[in-house]
Amino acid sequence: MNQLDEKIISTERLVLYPLKASHAEHMFHGLSDLGSYDFTPDLPYRDVAALADRYERLERRRSPDGREVWLNWVIGSVATQQLLGYVQFTVKPFEQRALVAYFVFASHRKQGIANEAIGAALSEVVASFQLTRVDAEIDTRNAASIALIERLGFERTRLVPHADEFKGAISDEYHYSFAVSGNGSAGDNTGP
């Protein structure tokens, strides 16, 4: 186990709680918006039980072969205690890198929530695992996600044409990388 497996991360407006199967009931409605899946091959979960099964697997915090650490947090509001989405890091310790992914419920977008949550978790993950970089892979049509990741200081490293095909469309991807400074910190990229 790693110190981040059970760590609660707080910001001024948000609390990031380590993901548990028990969160499925409170996350299900926000994850059910079909329009939120336009740029991913995923679809909403069919019911709370299916989502809870997935969360139960993620609670292990490790891939079966032990080569990946799965760090997943649900994003909660300090003011309302309402859950707003999630942020996740798939850490590859042997490669000193991680892949970031995130989801903010449609009703809470454009409020800086993803920026704040990713920024807070990024600092913790980088420090805990002594990473040299964090990557993001984004469908080229997802302008909001591209703007977010660039605002956080990620640099576009390449275009992957025809990276995937789903929902009747070809998905090209931009790959981004966040280079960690020499002192092992993510710096302060958490501004608005």
Side-chain angles (χ1 to χ4, degrees):
M1 295 288 272
N2 177 278
Q3 66 182 5
L4 281 183
D5 286 348
E6 297 297 325
K7 181 163 185 169
I8 294 172
I9 300 171
S10 297
T11 70
E12 185 177 326
R13 298 184 304 152
L14 307 173
V15 180
L16 281 59
Y17 299 100
L19 179 80
K20 304 238 184 247
S22 59
H23 288 122
E25 185 175 342
H26 300 287
M27 295 287 286
F28 181 75
H29 179 72
L31 292 171
S32 295
D33 174 49
L34 190 57
S36 294
Y37 297 87
D38 287 348
F39 306 118
T40 73
D42 303 323
L43 290 170
Y45 286 87
R46 67 182 179 280
D47 54 38
V48 173
L51 182 59
D53 286 346
R54 170 141 175 83
Y55 284 1
E56 192 172 315
R57 286 190 302 278
L58 292 174
E59 264 190 84
R60 296 180 193 138
R61 315 268 193 259
R62 301 282 179 282
S63 61
D65 65 6
R67 297 191 62 79
E68 293 181 347
V69 177
W70 300 333
L71 298 172
N72 295 274
W73 289 273
V74 294
I75 304 167
S77 165
V78 168
T80 67
Q81 278 73 59
Q82 185 178 13
L83 296 183
L84 312 172
Y86 66 79
V87 61
Q88 65 184 40
F89 287 81
T90 302
V91 180
K92 299 183 180 210
F94 301 108
E95 299 174 28
Q96 289 186 289
R97 69 182 187 97
L99 182 67
V100 64
Y102 41 88
F103 189 109
V104 173
F105 300 154
S107 58
H108 298 287
R109 292 191 186 133
K110 299 186 188 244
Q111 300 173 30
I113 291 167
N115 188 66
E116 192 172 328
I118 294 167
L122 180 67
S123 294
E124 295 282 352
V125 172
V126 165
S128 254
F129 288 94
Q130 300 175 343
L131 302 179
T132 58
R133 74 176 213 257
V134 177
D135 299 321
E137 299 170 356
I138 303 170
D139 187 296
T140 58
R141 300 168 293 172
N142 192 344
S145 198
I146 289 167
L148 164 69
I149 217 75
E150 289 179 352
R151 200 168 35 254
L152 283 163
F154 284 71
E155 304 259 333
R156 188 179 304 168
T157 57
R158 68 184 179 137
L159 166 67
V160 180
H162 206 134
D164 204 349
E165 192 169 333
F166 54 86
K167 300 174 188 156
I170 293 171
S171 170
D172 299 332
E173 283 182 353
Y174 288 134
H175 286 199
Y176 283 86
S177 190
F178 181 94
V180 178
S181 66
N183 63 4
S185 79
D188 184 12
N189 293 313
T190 58

